[in-house]
């Protein structure tokens, strides 16, 4: 936002210098990026009146003028400007004047004629301008006074950085409101009165997209003179705000835009057929802009049309076929509220970063449209003349942004600030900021306020937002810096607790690297992995591929693998810990957040080596990593891997993890269709577990080591191939828990000698007793008990 200090001080008049004004703007959150003088130093330049202007007798391109400076005599000045003429008010550098660059004006003789000064152009005074020739001042410019003082060239040009939530400060009104509040001064707004309607002509308005345009105002103004000259005072303010002059109609709409922050647009009334329509563009429609470019519109573009053609991109840019020209006599003036979401994406897509779009995409005051159209009408009538028709208002009150009621508690204000601001001070700040105080309640020194934010502060929705406003205006520098006092005590922790860092360390030791991905993911990729699950969509996403909250960490890890694979990384082991977000209406915020630990592996088991064969990572590599993780908590004997289908995993190569019959995670090979959609040549292996289920570890205990020898006996049993070997081993441990100290599967066989549909499992049983040496008959009895149990439960038979 660029504006002049002089214009700001017309609205609010604090008795402070420029340095303090800069500090105040910065402290309220409007960072001042640059401050530049409106003009470089110069002196001795006065306003003069050209009474005579004759060709120079000895030079074709020079003129001899007589300049009146309000004194008894006239000054002779030789000038070469083509626009010099009698009756013109000019800026004259008198004898002794010092211009930029230390150029001193002296009395001199040009081609035999004495010249007592110099008629100045803007560039000769160091003032940026598109105009050529000497400066032409308005007829009411007072002669004989300092040109610098009359034009307020000791002014400063401010460039401030406005944060996206403070679009109300993209105007002189908004900035002045902040300065008035911090200095507790009145706001000197211009008188904006309702313009008298002299005609009844209308253009009917039809809004077909009320969700994108909840309010649209328009009025007809007939009989204007576009060739009128924009007032010098308005030219000065527009130029110092960085806008170029075009014609009085556009200059007025730009002026109101800077003054109030409400974009306006003027159409040539004669080029509008029947009515104004606000709708979404249709496929194949085109629009030629005012600058001559032709756009091919997409159906998500909000446009202003009549019955036959597109007139403008709503809130962004006008069209050539309805623009104001020198022949325009009647116009239709638009003042609308367009929803930010209808503007932001389209302005960027078409590469049209206009002043109007800049404000609409951040949001404008939904109550400002009447004030702006009356202000613009008032200025147009004063400058261009004309007759005014009634305002046509098409609004959807149910859709328009409405400020909500907020409760402010002094207890929370004091707690968040760590400092107590008196009630009268807080109330005064809120009232100056435009808050409506609807209810006050005092209870034992504490107070509670029911507030309603002003319409221009639609970013204030929470109690914390109100507290921030109080602190901002009160001044953060006024809150004392007090060291935090706290009594430290030795913390306690459970010996059963297994920290997340321990799990991370184990994975790192096994060759994994920790990844940190965004909680916002691409909905298309997430849909591949979780086709049957609903996700939380963000109302204002950073981009289209970061518009939903993740249902698992798998989406981000897969994208990380794709990114690395595209950069020639063939073997990857990644893990991540974080939250997943599952929609759940039973939760306070409608979402259930679960802390999970996930991993992904792909590539070769070992680095390339002459003594190793090239072996790809497989299901059992990841199963081993998971078993190592579980073993940290001492719960490995309680864990079961059960074959279960998963929508994101390959059928037959996916398993669920159960802890005491409770499902705590899953693992397996990514489904080939998902891998293909992500352009992966090979499917990675993944896992995801609820790590909090493993943090409560089993406490180890000491037991006496048997001093008697152990004995190993091997058995080979035949069982149905569908029975997991894990179930067999679990049963062996259970039935002879006192003497069998170790059970291990060391061979699996299917083939000749074993019926189809069955498998042979070779199991080693290590038996030992803590009290005595086992005899052969005792060992045989133990093994027989184990075999009997397997036969009874699984119909197993010895091979």
């Amino acid at each position: 936002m660029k504006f002049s200090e002089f214009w700001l001080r017309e609205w609010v008049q604090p008795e402070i210098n420029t340095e303090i004004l800069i500090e105040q703007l910065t402290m309220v959150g409007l960072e001042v990026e640059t401050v530049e003088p409106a003009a470089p130093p110069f002196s001795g330049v006065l306003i003069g009146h050209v009474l005579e202007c004759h060709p120079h007798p000895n030079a074709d391109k020079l003129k001899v003028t007589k300049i009146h400076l309000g004194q008894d005599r006239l000054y002779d000045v030789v000038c070469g400007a083509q626009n010099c003429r009698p009756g013109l008010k000019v800026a004259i550098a008198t004898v002794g004047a010092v211009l930029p660059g230390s150029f001193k004006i002296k009395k001199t003789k040009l081609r035999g004629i004495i010249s007592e000064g110099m008629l100045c152009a803007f560039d000769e005074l160091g003032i940026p301008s598109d105009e050529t020739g000497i400066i032409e001042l308005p007829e009411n410019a007072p002669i004989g006074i300092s040109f610098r003082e009359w034009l307020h060239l000791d002014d400063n040009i401010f460039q401030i950085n406005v944060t996206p939530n403070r679009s109300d400060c993209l105007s002189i009104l908004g900035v002045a409101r902040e300065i008035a509040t911090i200095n507790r001064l009145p706001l000197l707004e211009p008188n904006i009165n309702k313009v008298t309607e002299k005609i009844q002509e209308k253009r009917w308005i039809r809004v077909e997209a009320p969700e994108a345009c909840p309010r649209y105002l328009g009025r007809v103004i007939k009989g204007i003179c576009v060739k009128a000259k924009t007032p010098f005072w308005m030219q000065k303010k527009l130029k110092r705000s960085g806008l170029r002059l075009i014609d009085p109609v556009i200059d007025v709409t730009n002026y109101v835009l800077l003054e109030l922050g409400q974009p306006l647009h003027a159409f040539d009334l004669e080029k509008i057929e029947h009515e104004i329509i606000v709708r979404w563009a249709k496929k194949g429609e085109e629009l030629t802009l005012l600058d001559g470019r032709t756009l091919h519109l997409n159906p998500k573009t909000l446009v202003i049309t009549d019955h036959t053609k597109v007139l403008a991109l709503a809130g962004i840019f006008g069209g050539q076929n309805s623009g104001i020209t020198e022949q325009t006599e009647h116009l239709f003036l638009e003042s609308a509220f367009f929803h930010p979401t209808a503007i932001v994406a389209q302005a960027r897509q078409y590469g049209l970063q206009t002043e109007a779009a800049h404000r609409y995409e951040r949001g404008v005051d939904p109550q400002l449209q009447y004030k702006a159209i009356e202000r613009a009408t008032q200025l147009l009538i004063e400058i261009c003349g004309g007759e005014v028709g009634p305002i046509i208002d098409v609004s959807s009150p149910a859709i328009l942004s409405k400020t909500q009621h907020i409760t402010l508690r002094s207890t929370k204000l004091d707690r968040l600030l760590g400092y107590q601001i008196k009630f009268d001070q807080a109330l005064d700040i809120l009232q100056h900021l435009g808050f409506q105080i609807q209810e006050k309640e005092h209870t034992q020194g504490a107070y509670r306020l029911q507030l309603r934010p002003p319409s221009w502060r639609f970013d204030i929705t929470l109690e914390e937002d109100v507290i921030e406003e109080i602190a901002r205006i009160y001044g953060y520098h006024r809150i004392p810096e007090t060291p935090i006092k706290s009594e430290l005590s030795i913390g306690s922790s459970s010996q059963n607790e297994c920290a997340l860092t321990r799990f991370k360390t184990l994975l790192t030791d096994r060759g994994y690297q920790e990844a940190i991905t965004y909680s916002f993911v691409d909905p298309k990729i997430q849909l591949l992995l979780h086709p049957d699950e609903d996700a939380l969509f963000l109302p204002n996403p950073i981009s289209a591929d970061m518009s939903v909250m993740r249902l698992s960490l798998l989406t981000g890890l897969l994208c990380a693998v794709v990114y690395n694979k595209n950069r020639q990384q063939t073997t990857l082991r990644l893990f991540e810990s974080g939250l997943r977000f599952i929609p759940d209406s039973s939760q306070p915020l409608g979402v259930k957040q679960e802390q999970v630990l996930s991993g992904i592996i792909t590539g070769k088991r070992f680095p390339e080596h002459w003594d190793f064969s090239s072996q790809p990572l497989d299901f059992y590599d990841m199963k081993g990593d998971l078993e190592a993780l579980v073993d940290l908590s001492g719960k490995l004997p309680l864990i079961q891997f059960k074959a279960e289908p998963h929508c994101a995993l390959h059928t037959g190569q996916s398993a669920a993890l159960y802890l005491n019959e409770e499902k705590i995670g899953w693992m397996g090979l990514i489904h080939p269709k998902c891998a293909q959609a992500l352009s992966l040549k090979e499917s990675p292996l993944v896992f995801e577990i609820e790590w909090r289920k493993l943090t409560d570890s089993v406490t180890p205990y000491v037991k006496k080591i048997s001093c008697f020898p152990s004995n190993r006996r091997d058995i080979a049993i035949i069982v149905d191939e569908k029975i997991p070997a894990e179930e067999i081993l679990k049963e062996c441990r259970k039935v002879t828990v006192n003497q069998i100290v170790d059970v291990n599967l060391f061979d699996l066989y299917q083939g000749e000698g074993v019926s189809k549909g069955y498998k042979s499992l070779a199991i080693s049983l290590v038996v030992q007793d803590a009290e005595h040496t086992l005899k052969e008959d005792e060992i045989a009895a133990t093994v027989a008990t184990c075999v009997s149990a397997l036969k009874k439960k699984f119909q197993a038979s010895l091979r």
Side-chain angles (χ1 to χ4, degrees), residues 171-214:
S171 64
I172 294 294
L173 169 62
V175 177
R177 193 188 285 128
E178 295 290 300
I179 296 301
T181 299
I182 199 171
N183 291 287
R184 308 298 191 274
L185 293 173
L187 196 63
L188 306 176
E189 296 189 49
N191 293 324
I192 303 177
N193 301 317
K194 183 177 174 60
V195 178
T196 304
E197 300 167 6
K198 295 185 177 180
I199 58 174
Q200 293 302 311
E201 185 166 344
K202 304 175 182 177
R203 272 291 188 273
W204 294 111
I205 300 166
R206 176 155 51 96
V207 178
E208 297 180 356
E211 71 286 351
C213 179

Short mmCIF file of all heavy atoms in Angstrom, two decimals, residues 171-214:
data_model
loop_
_atom_site.label_atom_id
_atom_site.label_comp_id
_atom_site.label_asym_id
_atom_site.label_seq_id
_atom_site.Cartn_x
_atom_site.Cartn_y
_atom_site.Cartn_z
N SER A 171 -6.24 0.98 2.34
CA SER A 171 -6.94 2.22 2.04
C SER A 171 -6.49 3.29 3.03
O SER A 171 -5.99 2.98 4.12
CB SER A 171 -8.46 2.04 2.14
OG SER A 171 -8.82 1.72 3.48
N ILE A 172 -6.68 4.55 2.65
CA ILE A 172 -6.38 5.65 3.56
C ILE A 172 -7.29 5.57 4.78
O ILE A 172 -6.86 5.80 5.91
CB ILE A 172 -6.56 7.00 2.85
CG1 ILE A 172 -5.50 7.16 1.74
CG2 ILE A 172 -6.46 8.16 3.82
CD1 ILE A 172 -4.09 7.25 2.26
N LEU A 173 -8.55 5.21 4.56
CA LEU A 173 -9.50 5.07 5.66
C LEU A 173 -8.98 4.08 6.70
O LEU A 173 -9.00 4.34 7.90
CB LEU A 173 -10.86 4.61 5.12
CG LEU A 173 -11.90 4.16 6.15
CD1 LEU A 173 -12.26 5.31 7.08
CD2 LEU A 173 -13.14 3.63 5.45
N GLY A 174 -8.51 2.91 6.25
CA GLY A 174 -8.06 1.88 7.18
C GLY A 174 -6.81 2.29 7.94
O GLY A 174 -6.72 2.09 9.16
N VAL A 175 -5.84 2.90 7.24
CA VAL A 175 -4.60 3.32 7.91
C VAL A 175 -4.90 4.45 8.89
O VAL A 175 -4.40 4.46 10.02
CB VAL A 175 -3.55 3.75 6.87
CG1 VAL A 175 -2.29 4.25 7.58
CG2 VAL A 175 -3.21 2.60 5.94
N ALA A 176 -5.72 5.41 8.46
CA ALA A 176 -6.07 6.53 9.34
C ALA A 176 -6.82 6.04 10.57
O ALA A 176 -6.63 6.57 11.68
CB ALA A 176 -6.92 7.54 8.57
N ARG A 177 -7.65 5.03 10.40
CA ARG A 177 -8.38 4.46 11.53
C ARG A 177 -7.42 3.91 12.59
O ARG A 177 -7.64 4.07 13.80
CB ARG A 177 -9.32 3.37 11.02
CG ARG A 177 -10.36 2.91 12.02
CD ARG A 177 -11.10 1.72 11.47
NE ARG A 177 -12.05 2.09 10.44
CZ ARG A 177 -12.11 1.54 9.23
NH1 ARG A 177 -11.25 0.60 8.90
NH2 ARG A 177 -13.02 1.91 8.37
N GLU A 178 -6.33 3.28 12.14
CA GLU A 178 -5.34 2.74 13.07
C GLU A 178 -4.62 3.87 13.81
O GLU A 178 -4.44 3.80 15.03
CB GLU A 178 -4.32 1.90 12.30
CG GLU A 178 -4.88 0.64 11.67
CD GLU A 178 -5.26 -0.40 12.70
OE1 GLU A 178 -4.37 -0.84 13.46
OE2 GLU A 178 -6.45 -0.76 12.76
N ILE A 179 -4.21 4.91 13.08
CA ILE A 179 -3.50 6.02 13.72
C ILE A 179 -4.42 6.78 14.67
O ILE A 179 -4.01 7.21 15.75
CB ILE A 179 -2.90 6.97 12.65
CG1 ILE A 179 -1.85 6.22 11.81
CG2 ILE A 179 -2.28 8.20 13.29
CD1 ILE A 179 -0.70 5.66 12.61
N ALA A 180 -5.67 6.95 14.27
CA ALA A 180 -6.64 7.63 15.14
C ALA A 180 -6.84 6.83 16.43
O ALA A 180 -6.96 7.40 17.52
CB ALA A 180 -7.96 7.81 14.41
N THR A 181 -6.86 5.52 16.32
CA THR A 181 -7.08 4.67 17.50
C THR A 181 -5.90 4.75 18.45
O THR A 181 -6.08 4.92 19.66
CB THR A 181 -7.31 3.22 17.06
OG1 THR A 181 -8.48 3.15 16.23
CG2 THR A 181 -7.51 2.32 18.27
N ILE A 182 -4.69 4.63 17.93
CA ILE A 182 -3.51 4.59 18.81
C ILE A 182 -3.27 5.93 19.49
O ILE A 182 -2.73 6.00 20.59
CB ILE A 182 -2.27 4.12 18.03
CG1 ILE A 182 -1.20 3.63 19.00
CG2 ILE A 182 -1.73 5.19 17.12
CD1 ILE A 182 -0.03 2.94 18.33
N ASN A 183 -3.72 7.05 18.84
CA ASN A 183 -3.54 8.38 19.42
C ASN A 183 -4.83 8.90 20.07
O ASN A 183 -4.84 10.03 20.56
CB ASN A 183 -3.08 9.36 18.34
CG ASN A 183 -1.67 9.08 17.87
OD1 ASN A 183 -0.71 9.34 18.58
ND2 ASN A 183 -1.53 8.53 16.67
N ARG A 184 -5.88 8.08 20.05
CA ARG A 184 -7.18 8.44 20.64
C ARG A 184 -7.68 9.78 20.08
O ARG A 184 -8.06 10.70 20.80
CB ARG A 184 -7.10 8.54 22.17
CG ARG A 184 -6.52 7.33 22.86
CD ARG A 184 -7.36 6.07 22.61
NE ARG A 184 -6.95 4.98 23.48
CZ ARG A 184 -5.97 4.13 23.21
NH1 ARG A 184 -5.31 4.24 22.07
NH2 ARG A 184 -5.65 3.17 24.05
N LEU A 185 -7.69 9.85 18.73
CA LEU A 185 -8.11 11.07 18.04
C LEU A 185 -9.33 10.78 17.17
O LEU A 185 -9.55 9.64 16.77
CB LEU A 185 -6.97 11.60 17.15
CG LEU A 185 -5.72 12.11 17.86
CD1 LEU A 185 -4.63 12.42 16.85
CD2 LEU A 185 -6.05 13.35 18.69
N PRO A 186 -10.11 11.80 16.85
CA PRO A 186 -11.25 11.59 15.96
C PRO A 186 -10.79 11.34 14.52
O PRO A 186 -9.73 11.81 14.10
CB PRO A 186 -12.04 12.90 16.07
CG PRO A 186 -11.02 13.92 16.46
CD PRO A 186 -10.02 13.20 17.33
N LEU A 187 -11.61 10.63 13.78
CA LEU A 187 -11.34 10.36 12.37
C LEU A 187 -12.07 11.41 11.54
O LEU A 187 -13.29 11.55 11.63
CB LEU A 187 -11.83 8.95 12.02
CG LEU A 187 -11.33 8.34 10.71
CD1 LEU A 187 -9.81 8.16 10.77
CD2 LEU A 187 -11.99 7.00 10.46
N LEU A 188 -11.31 12.17 10.74
CA LEU A 188 -11.88 13.28 9.98
C LEU A 188 -12.28 12.80 8.59
O LEU A 188 -11.63 13.10 7.59
CB LEU A 188 -10.87 14.42 9.89
CG LEU A 188 -10.30 14.90 11.24
CD1 LEU A 188 -9.23 15.96 11.02
CD2 LEU A 188 -11.42 15.43 12.12
N GLU A 189 -13.36 12.07 8.51
CA GLU A 189 -13.82 11.53 7.23
C GLU A 189 -14.47 12.63 6.40
O GLU A 189 -15.09 13.55 6.93
CB GLU A 189 -14.83 10.40 7.45
CG GLU A 189 -14.26 9.19 8.15
CD GLU A 189 -15.22 8.02 8.15
OE1 GLU A 189 -15.74 7.70 7.05
OE2 GLU A 189 -15.46 7.43 9.21
N PRO A 190 -14.35 12.54 5.07
CA PRO A 190 -15.03 13.53 4.21
C PRO A 190 -16.55 13.33 4.28
O PRO A 190 -17.04 12.25 4.57
CB PRO A 190 -14.50 13.19 2.81
CG PRO A 190 -14.07 11.76 2.89
CD PRO A 190 -13.58 11.55 4.29
N ASN A 191 -17.26 14.41 4.03
CA ASN A 191 -18.72 14.33 4.04
C ASN A 191 -19.20 13.59 2.79
O ASN A 191 -18.95 14.02 1.67
CB ASN A 191 -19.33 15.74 4.08
CG ASN A 191 -19.04 16.45 5.40
OD1 ASN A 191 -19.01 15.82 6.45
ND2 ASN A 191 -18.80 17.75 5.33
N ILE A 192 -19.85 12.47 3.02
CA ILE A 192 -20.39 11.69 1.91
C ILE A 192 -21.91 11.69 2.05
O ILE A 192 -22.47 10.96 2.87
CB ILE A 192 -19.83 10.25 1.91
CG1 ILE A 192 -18.29 10.27 1.86
CG2 ILE A 192 -20.40 9.45 0.74
CD1 ILE A 192 -17.65 8.91 1.94
N ASN A 193 -22.54 12.54 1.29
CA ASN A 193 -24.00 12.68 1.37
C ASN A 193 -24.66 11.95 0.21
O ASN A 193 -24.05 11.74 -0.85
CB ASN A 193 -24.39 14.17 1.32
CG ASN A 193 -23.76 14.95 2.47
OD1 ASN A 193 -23.74 14.48 3.61
ND2 ASN A 193 -23.24 16.13 2.17
N LYS A 194 -25.89 11.57 0.43
CA LYS A 194 -26.65 10.91 -0.63
C LYS A 194 -26.88 11.87 -1.77
O LYS A 194 -27.36 12.99 -1.59
CB LYS A 194 -27.98 10.40 -0.07
CG LYS A 194 -28.81 9.63 -1.08
CD LYS A 194 -30.08 9.11 -0.44
CE LYS A 194 -30.99 8.45 -1.47
NZ LYS A 194 -30.36 7.31 -2.16
N VAL A 195 -26.50 11.46 -2.97
CA VAL A 195 -26.63 12.31 -4.16
C VAL A 195 -28.10 12.34 -4.59
O VAL A 195 -28.78 11.32 -4.60
CB VAL A 195 -25.74 11.78 -5.30
CG1 VAL A 195 -25.90 12.62 -6.55
CG2 VAL A 195 -24.28 11.76 -4.87
N THR A 196 -28.56 13.52 -4.94
CA THR A 196 -29.96 13.68 -5.37
C THR A 196 -30.19 12.99 -6.71
O THR A 196 -29.45 13.21 -7.68
CB THR A 196 -30.31 15.17 -5.49
OG1 THR A 196 -30.05 15.82 -4.25
CG2 THR A 196 -31.78 15.34 -5.86
N GLU A 197 -31.19 12.14 -6.75
CA GLU A 197 -31.52 11.41 -7.99
C GLU A 197 -32.39 12.30 -8.88
O GLU A 197 -33.45 12.74 -8.46
CB GLU A 197 -32.24 10.11 -7.64
CG GLU A 197 -31.40 9.18 -6.78
CD GLU A 197 -32.23 8.03 -6.17
OE1 GLU A 197 -33.42 7.93 -6.54
OE2 GLU A 197 -31.70 7.28 -5.35
N LYS A 198 -31.92 12.52 -10.12
CA LYS A 198 -32.65 13.40 -11.04
C LYS A 198 -33.33 12.64 -12.17
O LYS A 198 -34.13 13.21 -12.90
CB LYS A 198 -31.71 14.46 -11.60
CG LYS A 198 -31.19 15.42 -10.54
CD LYS A 198 -30.34 16.54 -11.16
CE LYS A 198 -29.89 17.52 -10.10
NZ LYS A 198 -29.07 18.63 -10.68
N ILE A 199 -32.93 11.39 -12.37
CA ILE A 199 -33.57 10.57 -13.40
C ILE A 199 -33.96 9.24 -12.77
O ILE A 199 -33.47 8.86 -11.70
CB ILE A 199 -32.61 10.33 -14.60
CG1 ILE A 199 -31.32 9.65 -14.14
CG2 ILE A 199 -32.31 11.63 -15.31
CD1 ILE A 199 -30.40 9.25 -15.27
N GLN A 200 -34.82 8.51 -13.43
CA GLN A 200 -35.28 7.22 -12.91
C GLN A 200 -34.83 6.04 -13.77
O GLN A 200 -35.31 4.93 -13.61
CB GLN A 200 -36.82 7.22 -12.81
CG GLN A 200 -37.36 8.18 -11.77
CD GLN A 200 -36.80 7.90 -10.38
OE1 GLN A 200 -36.81 6.75 -9.93
NE2 GLN A 200 -36.31 8.94 -9.72
N GLU A 201 -33.91 6.30 -14.69
CA GLU A 201 -33.46 5.22 -15.57
C GLU A 201 -32.64 4.21 -14.77
O GLU A 201 -31.82 4.56 -13.93
CB GLU A 201 -32.63 5.78 -16.72
CG GLU A 201 -32.23 4.69 -17.72
CD GLU A 201 -31.70 5.25 -19.02
OE1 GLU A 201 -31.91 6.46 -19.27
OE2 GLU A 201 -31.08 4.48 -19.77
N LYS A 202 -32.86 2.91 -15.09
CA LYS A 202 -32.19 1.83 -14.37
C LYS A 202 -31.66 0.80 -15.37
O LYS A 202 -32.07 0.74 -16.51
CB LYS A 202 -33.15 1.12 -13.42
CG LYS A 202 -33.84 2.02 -12.41
CD LYS A 202 -34.87 1.23 -11.61
CE LYS A 202 -35.60 2.12 -10.63
NZ LYS A 202 -36.66 1.36 -9.88
N ARG A 203 -30.74 0.00 -14.89
CA ARG A 203 -30.37 -1.24 -15.56
C ARG A 203 -30.58 -2.35 -14.55
O ARG A 203 -29.99 -2.36 -13.48
CB ARG A 203 -28.88 -1.22 -15.98
CG ARG A 203 -28.62 -0.63 -17.34
CD ARG A 203 -29.15 -1.50 -18.47
NE ARG A 203 -28.72 -1.00 -19.78
CZ ARG A 203 -29.34 -0.10 -20.48
NH1 ARG A 203 -30.44 0.45 -20.00
NH2 ARG A 203 -28.89 0.29 -21.65
N TRP A 204 -31.47 -3.26 -14.88
CA TRP A 204 -31.78 -4.32 -13.95
C TRP A 204 -30.58 -5.26 -13.79
O TRP A 204 -29.81 -5.47 -14.72
CB TRP A 204 -33.01 -5.10 -14.40
CG TRP A 204 -34.26 -4.28 -14.35
CD1 TRP A 204 -34.98 -3.82 -15.41
CD2 TRP A 204 -34.88 -3.77 -13.18
NE1 TRP A 204 -36.03 -3.06 -14.98
CE2 TRP A 204 -36.00 -3.01 -13.61
CE3 TRP A 204 -34.63 -3.86 -11.81
CZ2 TRP A 204 -36.85 -2.37 -12.72
CZ3 TRP A 204 -35.47 -3.24 -10.92
CH2 TRP A 204 -36.57 -2.49 -11.38
N ILE A 205 -30.45 -5.81 -12.62
CA ILE A 205 -29.31 -6.66 -12.27
C ILE A 205 -29.82 -8.05 -11.89
O ILE A 205 -30.76 -8.18 -11.11
CB ILE A 205 -28.51 -6.06 -11.09
CG1 ILE A 205 -28.00 -4.66 -11.47
CG2 ILE A 205 -27.36 -6.97 -10.67
CD1 ILE A 205 -27.50 -3.86 -10.30
N ARG A 206 -29.18 -9.06 -12.46
CA ARG A 206 -29.53 -10.45 -12.12
C ARG A 206 -28.26 -11.17 -11.68
O ARG A 206 -27.30 -11.27 -12.44
CB ARG A 206 -30.17 -11.15 -13.32
CG ARG A 206 -30.48 -12.63 -13.09
CD ARG A 206 -31.62 -13.08 -14.02
NE ARG A 206 -31.38 -12.72 -15.40
CZ ARG A 206 -30.85 -13.55 -16.32
NH1 ARG A 206 -30.49 -14.77 -15.97
NH2 ARG A 206 -30.69 -13.15 -17.57
N VAL A 207 -28.26 -11.67 -10.44
CA VAL A 207 -27.11 -12.38 -9.89
C VAL A 207 -27.42 -13.87 -9.88
O VAL A 207 -28.27 -14.33 -9.12
CB VAL A 207 -26.76 -11.88 -8.47
CG1 VAL A 207 -25.58 -12.68 -7.91
CG2 VAL A 207 -26.43 -10.39 -8.48
N GLU A 208 -26.73 -14.61 -10.73
CA GLU A 208 -26.95 -16.06 -10.83
C GLU A 208 -25.96 -16.86 -9.98
O GLU A 208 -26.08 -18.08 -9.88
CB GLU A 208 -26.84 -16.51 -12.29
CG GLU A 208 -27.91 -15.90 -13.19
CD GLU A 208 -27.79 -16.36 -14.64
OE1 GLU A 208 -26.82 -17.09 -14.94
OE2 GLU A 208 -28.65 -15.98 -15.45
N ALA A 209 -25.00 -16.17 -9.39
CA ALA A 209 -24.02 -16.84 -8.51
C ALA A 209 -23.95 -16.08 -7.19
O ALA A 209 -22.94 -15.44 -6.87
CB ALA A 209 -22.66 -16.88 -9.18
N PRO A 210 -25.02 -16.13 -6.39
CA PRO A 210 -25.06 -15.34 -5.15
C PRO A 210 -23.99 -15.75 -4.14
O PRO A 210 -23.57 -14.95 -3.32
CB PRO A 210 -26.47 -15.59 -4.60
CG PRO A 210 -26.89 -16.88 -5.24
CD PRO A 210 -26.26 -16.91 -6.58
N GLU A 211 -23.55 -17.03 -4.18
CA GLU A 211 -22.52 -17.45 -3.24
C GLU A 211 -21.19 -16.75 -3.52
O GLU A 211 -20.36 -16.56 -2.62
CB GLU A 211 -22.33 -18.97 -3.27
CG GLU A 211 -21.68 -19.54 -4.53
CD GLU A 211 -22.57 -19.55 -5.75
OE1 GLU A 211 -23.77 -19.28 -5.62
OE2 GLU A 211 -22.06 -19.86 -6.85
N ALA A 212 -20.95 -16.37 -4.77
CA ALA A 212 -19.72 -15.67 -5.15
C ALA A 212 -19.90 -14.16 -5.13
O ALA A 212 -18.94 -13.41 -4.97
CB ALA A 212 -19.26 -16.11 -6.53
N CYS A 213 -21.13 -13.69 -5.31
CA CYS A 213 -21.43 -12.26 -5.31
C CYS A 213 -22.67 -12.00 -4.46
O CYS A 213 -23.78 -11.86 -4.99
CB CYS A 213 -21.64 -11.75 -6.74
SG CYS A 213 -22.05 -9.99 -6.85
N PRO A 214 -22.51 -11.94 -3.14
CA PRO A 214 -23.68 -11.74 -2.27
C PRO A 214 -24.28 -10.34 -2.34
O PRO A 214 -25.40 -10.14 -1.89
CB PRO A 214 -23.13 -12.02 -0.87
CG PRO A 214 -21.79 -12.66 -1.08
CD PRO A 214 -21.29 -12.14 -2.38
#
